[in-house]
Amino acid sequence: MARFSQALVAFAERWFPDAYVFVLIAVIAVAAGAILHGGSPLAVSHAFGDGFWNLIPFTMQMALVAIGGYVVAMSPPVAAVLARLASVPKTGRGAVVFVGMLSIFLSLLNWGLSLIFSGLLVREIARRTDIRLDYRAAGAAGYLGLGCGFTLGITSSAAQLQANAGSIPASLLPITGVIGFSETILTWQNMVTVAMVSVVSAAICYFTTPAPEQAETAEDLGVALGDDRIEARKPARPGDWLEFSPLLTILIALLAAGWLWQTFQSGNPLITLSGLNTYNFVFLILGIVLHWRPRSLIESFSKAMPSVSGVLLQFPFYAGIAQILTKVPNSGGTTLSDTIAHWFVGASSNSTVFSFLVGIYSALLGFFVPSAGGKWIIEAPYIMKAANDIGAHLGWTVMVYNIAETLPNFINPFWMLPLLGILGLKSKDLIGYTSVQFFIHFPIVMLLAAILMSTFTYHPPILP
């Protein structure tokens, strides 16, 4: 397994282009497919241009999800929490399991928070001299939230998009309707999946961590462990006073408190947080308060920006792809998404088999298109149409996609980049461990997702 994973790393490092190149290839492939399907080249071009900006609100919302998590993770109070948490594990192997479980838990709240907080925690634990921590295994454990956790929580791009009518592209809304969290991430079936994923991940972390005498520490790997906190500074001129004073922070927090109280005073808070604007508002205000002084927030916000460059650049292309799939008919009036949906229905004898096929397909496509929200826009038109035709529960179909599509993150290092930057490592240092997670998780979660589909009852799309 170790030799195979290293061979995969070597292949990916030599041959895999940037994720943006994959998006361009996907656009060309879908456009060519629509033309071969009988669509007019001019109609394909029009659809691409008409749909290109359909996801702008959702793009900004998902970028702020990542930034909000990053800002909170970099705040001074969280740095104090890191120091306390780093003292909890008693052994190097226990530390790896601890980081992995915390990474998954945090990813259910915010994937950006999970990625950044876990990386900083690994560095904090690595500074300890009383235990010998394998820095590579701990770093891989810090990535578990992005490999098998975050799409099962409230920052799932697909679940968030489907829960917000204003975020769903007009071409997709009639197919899926609005699907609330009560039918996706808040179902007992999803809770079972989270528990299974966590147990399996913990076991893999435990058994793949090298013994202390074989562990490669940060020092062994030549990684310098400096202070990760934002440097406390004083105003250099009178005009800087407000940047270093908590006055404005207090006033903004008071201004926001009324709205937050009114919004959360009734109903399930998790359902309330399913609104992306509400979610981002909460995390941004939390970040403002935790940083206390505007200058600290400004610096952490600036550091967070590189982590969302891929989202800002790629999502418009995904919107164009969705428009081509759903709005370019052939001479018979059938779109490419209709044809692919018919294939899924024809290959599925029941909703359980359909679930298994969707999972495998989503995982395969996820290796080449590492973007949860953007890829859902590509798949949803035909997968959800097929789900309607075969009578598969729409909410759990979203979750089957969620369960499967993140697993390739273990062997495609696209989302690993922010973590690698914090750890000072390269993808080849972690993928030897994360690929083991992939190969063990894949058959387990695919089977689990298919079995759980049989516990749901289908109902037609609910339109706003």
Side-chain angles (χ1 to χ4, degrees):
M1 183 71 74
R3 286 195 299 270
F4 176 74
S5 64
Q6 290 304 314
L8 186 62
V9 170
F11 175 81
E13 287 187 340
R14 182 173 178 81
W15 292 105
F16 266 56
D18 186 84
Y20 171 63
V21 175
F22 278 128
V23 174
L24 299 185
I25 293 172
V27 171
I28 294 169
V30 171
I35 293 172
L36 292 173
H37 187 251
S40 160
L42 186 58
V44 170
S45 178
H46 273 293
F48 178 64
D50 289 344
F52 197 79
W53 302 116
N54 283 350
L55 283 179
I56 287 301
F58 184 62
T59 300
M60 181 59 70
Q61 288 168 330
M62 291 314 299
L64 285 172
V65 167
I67 291 172
Y70 199 115
V71 165
V72 169
M74 293 293 292
S75 65
V78 172
V81 173
L82 278 171
R84 290 189 178 91
L85 290 175
S87 66
V88 172
K90 304 304 180 185
T91 65
R93 177 169 284 166
V96 172
V97 176
F98 181 70
V99 169
M101 293 304 94
L102 195 60
S103 174
I104 291 176
F105 171 74
L106 290 175
S107 74
L108 301 176
L109 302 175
N110 182 294
W111 66 263
L113 176 63
S114 171
L115 196 64
I116 306 307
F117 188 92
S118 298
L120 296 174
L121 178 60
V122 170
R123 288 175 61 87
E124 194 69 31
I125 297 174
R127 294 188 181 98
R128 291 176 53 180
T129 57
D130 57 327
I131 62 174
R132 188 169 176 83
L133 178 73
D134 189 286
Y135 196 63
R136 304 162 305 169
Y143 190 59
L144 285 176
L146 269 291
C148 61
F150 85 96
T151 53
L152 306 180
I154 58 178
T155 50
S156 160
S157 304
Q160 284 278 13
L161 182 142
Q162 292 298 158
N164 293 273
S167 300
I168 305 173
S171 60
L172 183 60
L173 185 59
I175 302 172
T176 68
V178 177
I179 306 171
F181 274 15
S182 60
E183 295 195 81
T184 53
I185 66 168
L186 296 184
T187 59
W188 68 261
Q189 292 89 342
N190 189 48
M191 304 305 171
V192 169
T193 305
V194 170
M196 176 66 76
V197 162
S198 300
V199 170
V200 171
S201 298
I204 298 171
C205 284
Y206 183 85
F207 289 109
T208 58
T209 300
E213 59 273 12
Q214 298 173 321
E216 293 279 345
T217 65
E219 184 180 359
D220 295 332
L221 296 168
V223 177
L225 298 174
D227 193 341
D228 298 315
R229 291 174 295 183
I230 295 176
E231 182 182 354
R233 294 186 289 136
K234 295 182 178 181
R237 58 191 183 91
D240 295 337
W241 180 77
L242 284 174
E243 294 181 20
F244 293 88
S245 167
L247 176 62
L248 293 177
T249 296
I250 294 171
L251 294 176
I252 291 296
L254 290 174
L255 183 63
W259 185 87
L260 291 171
W261 170 256
Q262 186 176 30
T263 301
F264 283 91
Q265 67 178 342
S266 62
N268 188 321
L270 289 178
I271 297 295
T272 303
L273 276 176
S274 67
L276 271 172
N277 288 336
T278 301
Y279 180 89
N280 283 327
F281 186 80
V282 168
F283 258 84
L284 187 57
I285 294 299
L286 180 61
I288 289 172
V289 172
L290 290 176
H291 280 273
W292 198 236
R293 291 171 173 79
R295 171 48 52 188
S296 177
L297 179 83
I298 292 169
E299 291 184 11
S300 67
F301 206 94
S302 298
K303 291 182 179 180
M305 290 306 296
S307 68
V308 300
S309 60
V311 171
L312 296 175
L313 176 61
Q314 295 171 37
F315 270 37
F317 289 92
Y318 293 131
I321 289 173
Q323 193 81 356
I324 295 172
L325 282 168
T326 58
K327 295 299 182 180
V328 181
N330 58 17
S331 58
T334 303
T335 65
L336 185 57
S337 67
D338 292 332
T339 299
I340 300 175
H342 292 327
W343 179 88
F344 270 100
V345 173
S348 306
S349 56
N350 53 54
S351 61
T352 302
V353 175
F354 170 74
S355 174
F356 197 72
L357 289 176
V358 168
I360 293 176
Y361 173 78
S362 296
L364 178 64
L365 190 59
F367 183 72
F368 296 100
V369 186
S371 176
K375 190 168 74 67
W376 174 245
I377 298 301
I378 298 175
E379 293 188 47
Y382 48 84
I383 284 181
M384 297 299 268
K385 186 177 187 335
N388 282 311
D389 292 342
I390 204 170
H393 187 266
L394 297 178
W396 191 246
T397 300
V398 173
M399 293 312 298
V400 171
Y401 164 86
N402 279 337
I403 292 166
E405 81 90 22
T406 53
L407 290 177
N409 288 347
F410 280 132
I411 51 179
N412 184 334
F414 174 72
W415 291 111
M416 199 181 285
L417 297 178
L419 178 64
L420 293 173
I422 292 172
L423 296 175
L425 295 175
K426 296 182 179 179
S427 58
K428 64 183 179 63
D429 296 314
L430 305 190
I431 291 185
Y433 294 96
T434 59
S435 60
V436 176
Q437 294 277 357
F438 171 80
F439 288 114
I440 295 178
H441 271 291
F442 187 79
I444 294 174
V445 297
M446 288 297 97
L447 183 61
L448 180 64
I451 292 173
L452 289 175
M453 176 63 85
S454 63
T455 66
F456 287 92
T457 301
Y458 170 79
H459 65 76
I462 299 175
L463 299 178

